Amino acid sequence: SHQDVPTKLVAKAVPLPMTVRGHWFLSPRTEYTVAVQTASKQVDGDYVVSEWSEIIEFCTADYSKVHLTQLLEKAEVIAGRM
């Protein structure tokens, strides 16, 4: 079942232009919807919060051959210990 999961990405404010990178562990063959909102702390301690960005929708692909090889190697190591 689909469920919205709130995610926070907090970054130190830097002069524009800036890029904030977040790391999410995405599942293969899964549809995702992403929107971004920023909050800037003011001198008085309050925050100015932006409007939400446009919504970006994308779908992840299958596992790559490199990832499948890594999974196979891990499985072989575990099987060897059993």
Side-chain angles (χ1 to χ4, degrees), residues 28-78:
R29 288 188 289 174
T30 304
E31 293 181 359
Y32 289 93
T33 303
V34 178
V36 177
Q37 188 180 45
T38 61
S40 302
K41 190 171 186 178
Q42 305 301 297
V43 178
D44 61 6
D46 284 342
Y47 286 86
V48 174
V49 180
S50 73
E51 297 293 323
W52 284 99
S53 71
E54 64 179 279
I55 294 172
I56 299 169
E57 295 180 355
F58 63 96
C59 185
T60 51
D62 290 326
Y63 282 110
S64 69
K65 190 169 183 177
V66 171
H67 289 141
L68 288 173
T69 302
Q70 290 173 349
L71 286 171
L72 176 61
E73 289 170 356
K74 288 180 182 181
E76 288 172 341
V77 169
I78 292 170

